[in-house]
Amino acid sequence: GQSVEWFLPVFGKAYGYYTKPRARLYDVSMKIGEDTIAQCASSQHYPVWVNNVACPSKSTVELPNPPEQLVVRQEMSLLITLKDKFGFQRLVGSEPEMEQLEVSIVNPRGKSVEIHVTNNNNGTYTAKFDGRLAGAYALSVKFAGETVSAPKHFTMLPASILAENCVFVGINETYEEIKRMEA
């Protein structure tokens, strides 16, 4: 069988084995000794998502664009996908699992960046941070202390100047020059 883990709000994390080739939604009869758990007594079965145990070396981190197309933005996000040892994406996430994720980003000034991680409830997590500073960033992602496959560095390119991002602050001595260039 395969090693699995699951998380139940009432009981917490549990581990076990199953003989199916992949994790998915199963009807699980839950008993402690010979007693059916009261939460499950009406149907004797309880639908529960069963995940294969996460394998950090098979898990991935994706940037929102190819590295050569990353442009500074107010909110930058990374997608962390936890996978099992066979490379299958885990089907659900949990708060205890999210607590085992360590995401570290250092900006071009050498300062650690504040990161907000969100559980997408599908085996993926989104890490968001302020990406308004152009330059080279260092990235490290770990799950349960083990390194997740991720780019170690990425560069945020300066944004092009767009009219909708500009603000008119007044008329000065260059107004005539600007007017002539527009004509």
Side-chain angles (χ1 to χ4, degrees):
Q2 308 296 329
S3 175
V4 297
E5 70 180 48
W6 63 92
F7 183 79
L8 300 171
V10 175
F11 303 103
K13 191 180 280 189
Y15 295 91
Y17 295 92
Y18 75 111
T19 57
K20 302 291 183 187
R22 285 201 61 189
R24 66 177 182 85
L25 182 64
Y26 289 96
D27 280 334
V28 177
S29 175
M30 289 188 263
K31 293 183 178 187
I32 298 176
E34 295 298 315
D35 299 323
T36 300
I37 296 172
Q39 181 179 353
C40 310
S42 62
S43 68
Q44 301 296 313
H45 291 280
Y46 186 67
V48 62
W49 283 106
V50 178
N51 274 330
N52 286 343
V53 175
C55 180
S57 65
K58 297 283 186 175
S59 300
T60 59
V61 177
E62 296 173 52
L63 299 167
N65 299 95
E68 65 278 2
Q69 296 177 10
L70 290 174
V71 177
V72 293
R73 61 189 80 177
Q74 185 168 349
E75 185 176 81
M76 172 72 171
S77 62
L78 306 170
L79 183 67
I80 302 164
T81 303
L82 293 181
K83 297 181 181 183
D84 64 17
K85 68 180 180 180
F86 305 105
F88 294 117
Q89 179 177 327
R90 289 171 51 91
L91 302 175
V92 293
S94 68
E95 295 306 311
E97 184 173 84
M98 190 169 78
E99 291 172 8
Q100 295 184 69
L101 273 173
E102 300 169 42
V103 181
S104 171
I105 299 173
V106 177
N107 71 19
R109 294 183 180 147
K111 304 280 186 195
S112 290
V113 175
E114 184 177 336
I115 302 161
H116 300 283
V117 179
T118 304
N119 178 0
N120 299 323
N121 296 313
N122 64 0
T124 68
Y125 297 84
T126 301
K128 294 182 179 180
F129 64 96
D130 184 338
R132 290 181 285 186
L133 185 61
Y137 287 74
L139 171 65
S140 170
V141 179
K142 293 183 178 185
F143 178 75
E146 293 184 45
T147 300
V148 172
S149 177
K152 295 194 182 331
H153 302 280
F154 60 92
T155 300
M156 298 292 287
L157 302 172
S160 57
I161 298 172
L162 302 173
E164 61 265 19
N165 291 338
C166 297
V167 177
F168 178 71
V169 291
I171 298 174
N172 60 24
E173 64 278 356
T174 62
Y175 175 74
E176 290 300 318
E177 184 65 26
I178 292 170
K179 195 67 174 166
R180 257 184 283 154
M181 289 187 330
E182 290 175 354

